[in-house]
Amino acid sequence: MTDIDTWSPTTYARNGDVELAYDRFGQPGGTPLLLMMGLAISRFWWPDGLCRAFAEEGFDVVRYDQRDTGASTRFGGAARLGPWGMLLGPGPARYTAEDLVDDAVAVLDAVGWERAVAFGHSLGGIAAQRLALRRPERVRGLVTCDAPPSDASGPRALRYLRFGLVARLAVKRYPEGHDGDVAASLAVAKGLASPVNPCDEAAARARIERGLESGPRDMAGLSRQMHARWHGPRLREVRTPTLVLHGEDDPLVRTSAARAVARAVRGAKLVVLDGVGHDLPPVAWRTIAEQTRRVAEA
């Protein structure tokens, strides 16, 4: 394990033929915390400041790239989809939602953790909910942030989304190559933020640059993640202590999604973050870390 302020070198877990890139930060011997990012965006989008706040609350933090994301195994060719093509789906499914959950378990196994608090953001929040359903014995606590209910599909899922941001991103065009990839990713980061607490462009650019070689514009990969079918239990069957976080100004997922998750999970606590969008800005770090600690102690 490395110093508290340093991420470990990238390591790989394996689930069958799938390799999953992960690294580690925090208190050796602390409470295990598994971070699950969404949007086919690499683990580098977790802010270091937030992870430091987790470490200060006594957490041992691991973040990983889901399949089709970052430095983990990718499926399919180099086909590019726009935002609308991503929503409509890439064609035949390459894997199931259960496979995504089993990837998380593979990371827990590789790290040597029997149980962890699972913290999922956006699409990662859906995966974290399903982890608590499929493998409840591996989940000490569940934090689902800016995520719809995991058992909503079709029109039921679309009602939780706001399409204004998707529409704005759909009409933008960026050149191929480094500069275009940075610009496209930065546009996403800026669009997800609240006007009250806008994106810190320098910090966002630094995170984007760290993961730039891992294909930040793989919309086909995101589409495969989004359309992976779930065949497991419904959300109301979660029995894990649960925290539901949601940005009040989220431009992508409606607050009604968080309320639906909180209603479905018995005993769940809902915290709406004032002045926060579909991101994890510095103003919310302390609250997020403290609330996550309470879930771990429940």
Side-chain angles (χ1 to χ4, degrees):
M1 184 66 194
T2 58
D3 182 82
I4 187 174
D5 288 326
T6 307
W7 285 101
S8 71
T10 299
T11 311
Y12 289 87
R14 180 175 287 277
N15 177 22
D17 294 333
V18 175
E19 289 190 332
L20 302 149
Y22 72 90
D23 50 15
R24 195 170 182 177
F25 182 107
Q27 296 281 10
T31 302
L33 176 64
L34 182 68
L35 301 182
M36 306 169 71
M37 182 51 76
L39 294 172
I41 291 174
S42 81
R43 66 194 188 280
F44 297 125
W45 282 56
W46 289 101
D48 285 349
L50 174 59
C51 295
R52 188 170 297 109
F54 285 138
E56 290 169 356
E57 290 292 331
F59 286 105
D60 186 356
V61 183
V62 166
R63 62 184 182 181
Y64 75 102
D65 291 333
Q66 297 197 55
R67 62 175 62 196
D68 260 330
T69 302
S72 293
T73 298
R74 292 173 176 272
F75 293 74
R80 297 248 178 177
L81 295 177
W84 298 118
M86 172 267 294
L87 287 172
L88 293 173
R94 298 297 302 273
Y95 46 80
T96 67
E98 284 83 353
D99 292 325
L100 292 168
V101 169
D102 293 345
D103 289 345
V105 174
V107 175
L108 294 178
D109 289 343
V111 177
W113 287 345
E114 292 185 7
R115 301 170 72 219
V117 176
F119 189 126
H121 181 258
S122 191
L123 195 69
I126 294 175
Q129 294 169 31
R130 290 169 173 167
L131 175 61
L133 288 165
R134 181 168 170 83
R135 298 298 301 272
E137 78 282 3
R138 305 301 298 269
V139 182
R140 175 173 176 169
L142 169 64
V143 184
T144 173
C145 181
D146 295 338
S150 58
D151 51 10
S153 59
R156 291 183 61 244
L158 295 179
R159 68 179 177 175
Y160 293 120
L161 302 181
R162 301 181 190 275
F163 292 99
L165 177 61
V166 176
R168 291 195 298 274
L169 293 174
V171 299
K172 294 188 177 182
R173 297 291 181 268
Y174 300 95
E176 298 292 330
H178 176 276
D179 291 346
D181 287 344
V182 170
S185 296
L186 191 58
V188 171
K190 292 167 66 175
L192 295 176
S194 167
V196 179
N197 290 289
C199 172
D200 180 335
E201 293 191 31
R205 184 180 293 272
R207 291 195 294 271
I208 290 164
E209 292 277 6
R210 290 178 69 186
L212 198 61
E213 294 181 1
S214 302
R217 284 199 275 177
D218 186 2
M219 300 296 284
L222 171 56
S223 186
R224 286 188 291 270
Q225 289 182 357
M226 286 186 63
H227 294 277
R229 291 285 302 277
W230 173 244
H231 308 88
R234 296 184 64 80
L235 186 58
R236 63 173 178 266
E237 297 182 38
V238 168
R239 295 294 179 264
T240 303
T242 298
L243 169 67
V244 182
L245 298 172
H246 204 91
E248 182 182 40
D249 299 335
D250 190 327
L252 189 63
V253 180
R254 299 179 186 276
T255 309
S256 59
R259 301 191 189 282
V261 174
R263 284 195 305 270
V265 179
R266 183 183 306 172
K269 180 179 182 181
L270 172 63
V271 176
V272 177
L273 302 168
D274 294 340
V276 174
H278 193 84
D279 60 347
L280 300 162
V283 67
W285 291 347
R286 180 51 52 195
T287 297
I288 292 171
E290 290 175 352
Q291 291 290 340
T292 302
R293 162 52 56 193
R294 293 175 188 176
V295 170
E297 295 172 345

